[in-house]
Coordinates of all heavy atoms in Angstrom, one line a residue:
R114 N -98.2 -172.5 132.7 CA -98.0 -172.6 134.2 C -96.6 -173.2 134.5 O -95.9 -172.7 135.4 CB -99.1 -173.5 134.8 CG -99.2 -173.5 136.3 CD -100.3 -174.4 136.9 NE -101.6 -174.1 136.2 CZ -102.1 -175.0 135.5 NH1 -101.6 -176.2 135.3 NH2 -103.3 -174.7 134.9
A115 N -96.2 -174.2 133.8 CA -94.8 -174.8 134.0 C -93.7 -173.8 133.6 O -92.7 -173.7 134.3 CB -94.7 -176.1 133.2
L116 N -94.0 -173.0 132.6 CA -93.0 -172.1 132.2 C -92.9 -171.0 133.3 O -91.7 -170.5 133.6 CB -93.4 -171.4 130.9 CG -92.4 -170.6 130.1 CD1 -91.1 -171.3 129.8 CD2 -93.0 -170.0 128.9
G117 N -94.0 -170.6 133.9 CA -93.9 -169.6 134.9 C -93.3 -170.0 136.2 O -92.9 -169.2 137.0
E118 N -93.1 -171.3 136.4 CA -92.5 -171.8 137.6 C -90.9 -171.8 137.5 O -90.2 -172.1 138.5 CB -93.0 -173.2 137.9 CG -94.5 -173.2 138.3 CD -95.0 -174.6 138.5 OE1 -94.2 -175.6 138.4 OE2 -96.2 -174.7 138.7
L119 N -90.4 -171.6 136.3 CA -89.0 -171.6 136.1 C -88.4 -170.3 136.5 O -89.1 -169.3 136.6 CB -88.6 -171.8 134.6 CG -89.0 -173.2 134.0 CD1 -88.7 -173.1 132.5 CD2 -88.2 -174.3 134.6
A120 N -87.1 -170.3 136.8 CA -86.3 -169.1 137.1 C -86.4 -168.2 135.9 O -86.5 -168.6 134.8 CB -84.9 -169.4 137.5
A121 N -86.3 -166.9 136.2 CA -86.4 -165.9 135.1 C -85.4 -166.1 134.0 O -85.8 -166.0 132.8 CB -86.3 -164.5 135.7
L122 N -84.2 -166.4 134.3 CA -83.2 -166.5 133.2 C -83.4 -167.8 132.5 O -83.3 -167.8 131.3 CB -81.8 -166.5 133.9 CG -80.6 -166.4 132.9 CD1 -80.8 -165.1 131.9 CD2 -79.3 -166.3 133.6
D123 N -83.8 -168.9 133.2 CA -84.1 -170.2 132.4 C -85.3 -169.9 131.5 O -85.4 -170.4 130.4 CB -84.5 -171.2 133.4 CG -83.2 -171.7 134.2 OD1 -82.1 -171.4 133.7 OD2 -83.4 -172.4 135.2
R124 N -86.4 -169.2 132.0 CA -87.5 -168.9 131.2 C -87.1 -168.1 129.9 O -87.6 -168.3 128.9 CB -88.5 -168.1 132.0 CG -89.9 -168.0 131.4 CD -90.9 -167.3 132.3 NE -90.7 -167.6 133.6 CZ -91.0 -166.8 134.6 NH1 -91.5 -165.6 134.3 NH2 -90.9 -167.1 135.9
A125 N -86.2 -167.0 130.2 CA -85.8 -166.3 129.0 C -85.1 -167.1 128.0 O -85.3 -166.9 126.8 CB -84.9 -165.1 129.5
V126 N -84.2 -168.0 128.5 CA -83.5 -168.9 127.5 C -84.5 -169.7 126.7 O -84.3 -169.8 125.5 CB -82.5 -169.8 128.3 CG1 -82.0 -170.9 127.4 CG2 -81.3 -168.9 128.8
L127 N -85.4 -170.3 127.4 CA -86.4 -171.2 126.6 C -87.3 -170.4 125.7 O -87.5 -170.8 124.5 CB -87.3 -171.9 127.6 CG -86.7 -173.1 128.4 CD1 -87.7 -173.8 129.3 CD2 -86.0 -174.0 127.5
V128 N -87.7 -169.2 126.1 CA -88.5 -168.4 125.2 C -87.7 -168.0 123.9 O -88.2 -168.1 122.9 CB -89.1 -167.2 126.0 CG1 -89.7 -166.1 125.0 CG2 -90.2 -167.6 127.0
L129 N -86.5 -167.5 124.2 CA -85.7 -167.0 123.0 C -85.4 -168.2 122.1 O -85.4 -168.0 120.9 CB -84.5 -166.3 123.5 CG -84.7 -164.9 124.1 CD1 -83.5 -164.3 124.7 CD2 -85.5 -164.0 123.2
R130 N -85.0 -169.3 122.7 CA -84.5 -170.4 121.9 C -85.7 -171.1 121.1 O -85.6 -171.4 120.0 CB -83.8 -171.5 122.7 CG -82.4 -171.1 123.2 CD -81.4 -171.3 122.1 NE -81.3 -172.7 121.7 CZ -81.4 -173.3 120.5 NH1 -81.6 -172.5 119.5 NH2 -81.3 -174.6 120.4
F131 N -86.8 -171.4 121.8 CA -87.8 -172.2 121.2 C -89.0 -171.4 120.7 O -89.7 -171.8 119.8 CB -88.2 -173.4 122.2 CG -87.0 -174.2 122.5 CD1 -86.4 -174.1 123.8 CD2 -86.4 -175.0 121.6 CE1 -85.3 -174.9 124.1 CE2 -85.3 -175.8 121.8 CZ -84.7 -175.7 123.1
W132 N -89.4 -170.4 121.4 CA -90.5 -169.5 120.9 C -90.1 -168.6 119.9 O -90.7 -168.5 118.7 CB -91.2 -168.8 122.1 CG -92.3 -167.9 121.6 CD1 -92.3 -166.6 121.4 CD2 -93.7 -168.4 121.4 NE1 -93.5 -166.2 120.9 CE2 -94.4 -167.3 120.9 CE3 -94.2 -169.6 121.4 CZ2 -95.7 -167.3 120.6 CZ3 -95.6 -169.7 121.0 CH2 -96.3 -168.6 120.6
E133 N -89.0 -167.9 120.1 CA -88.5 -167.0 119.1 C -87.6 -167.6 118.0 O -87.2 -167.0 117.1 CB -87.6 -165.9 119.8 CG -88.4 -165.0 120.8 CD -89.3 -164.1 120.0 OE1 -89.0 -163.6 118.9 OE2 -90.4 -163.8 120.6
D134 N -87.3 -168.9 118.3 CA -86.6 -169.7 117.3 C -85.2 -169.0 117.0 O -84.8 -169.0 115.9 CB -87.4 -169.9 116.0 CG -86.8 -171.1 115.2 OD1 -86.2 -172.0 115.8 OD2 -87.0 -171.1 114.0
R135 N -84.5 -168.5 118.0 CA -83.2 -168.0 117.9 C -82.2 -169.1 118.1 O -82.3 -170.1 118.7 CB -83.0 -166.9 119.0 CG -83.8 -165.7 118.8 CD -83.3 -164.6 119.6 NE -84.0 -163.4 119.5 CZ -83.7 -162.2 120.0 NH1 -82.5 -162.2 120.7 NH2 -84.4 -161.2 119.9
S136 N -81.0 -168.8 117.5 CA -79.9 -169.8 117.6 C -79.3 -169.7 119.0 O -79.6 -168.7 119.7 CB -78.8 -169.5 116.5 OG -78.2 -168.2 116.8
V137 N -78.4 -170.6 119.3 CA -77.7 -170.5 120.6 C -76.9 -169.3 120.8 O -76.9 -168.6 121.8 CB -76.8 -171.8 120.8 CG1 -76.0 -171.7 122.0 CG2 -77.7 -173.1 120.9
E138 N -76.2 -168.9 119.6 CA -75.4 -167.7 119.7 C -76.2 -166.4 119.8 O -75.8 -165.5 120.5 CB -74.5 -167.6 118.4 CG -73.5 -168.7 118.3 CD -74.0 -170.1 117.9 OE1 -75.1 -170.2 117.4 OE2 -73.4 -171.1 118.3
E139 N -77.4 -166.4 119.1 CA -78.2 -165.2 119.3 C -78.8 -165.1 120.7 O -78.8 -164.0 121.2 CB -79.4 -165.3 118.3 CG -79.0 -165.1 116.8 CD -80.2 -165.3 115.8 OE1 -81.0 -166.2 116.1 OE2 -80.1 -164.7 114.8
T140 N -79.2 -166.2 121.2 CA -79.7 -166.2 122.6 C -78.6 -165.8 123.6 O -78.8 -164.9 124.5 CB -80.2 -167.6 122.9 OG1 -81.3 -167.9 122.0 CG2 -80.8 -167.6 124.3
A141 N -77.4 -166.3 123.4 CA -76.2 -166.0 124.2 C -75.9 -164.5 124.1 O -75.7 -163.8 125.2 CB -75.0 -166.8 123.8
A142 N -76.0 -164.0 123.0 CA -75.7 -162.5 122.8 C -76.8 -161.6 123.5 O -76.5 -160.7 124.1 CB -75.6 -162.1 121.3
A143 N -78.1 -162.0 123.3 CA -79.1 -161.2 123.9 C -79.1 -161.2 125.4 O -79.5 -160.3 126.1 CB -80.5 -161.8 123.4
L144 N -78.7 -162.4 126.0 CA -78.7 -162.5 127.4 C -77.3 -162.3 128.1 O -77.2 -162.5 129.3 CB -79.2 -163.9 127.8 CG -80.6 -164.2 127.5 CD1 -81.0 -165.6 127.7 CD2 -81.6 -163.2 128.1
H145 N -76.3 -162.0 127.2 CA -75.0 -161.8 127.8 C -74.4 -163.0 128.5 O -73.9 -162.9 129.6 CB -74.9 -160.5 128.7 CG -75.4 -159.3 128.0 ND1 -74.8 -158.7 127.0 CD2 -76.5 -158.6 128.3 CE1 -75.5 -157.7 126.6 NE2 -76.6 -157.6 127.3
L146 N -74.6 -164.2 127.9 CA -74.1 -165.4 128.4 C -73.2 -166.1 127.3 O -73.3 -165.7 126.2 CB -75.3 -166.4 128.6 CG -76.3 -166.0 129.7 CD1 -77.6 -166.9 129.7 CD2 -75.7 -165.9 131.1
S147 N -72.5 -167.1 127.7 CA -71.7 -167.9 126.7 C -72.7 -168.9 126.1 O -73.7 -169.2 126.6 CB -70.6 -168.5 127.4 OG -71.1 -169.6 128.3

Side-chain angles (χ1 to χ4, degrees):
R114 191 176 313 112
L116 190 63
E118 293 174 4
L119 293 175
L122 193 54
D123 290 343
R124 190 177 327 149
V126 167
L127 289 184
V128 168
L129 291 177
R130 283 284 292 128
F131 301 108
W132 178 261
E133 294 292 324
D134 199 26
R135 289 192 184 191
S136 68
V137 171
E138 291 74 24
E139 290 172 328
T140 303
L144 297 174
H145 306 293
L146 298 171
S147 68

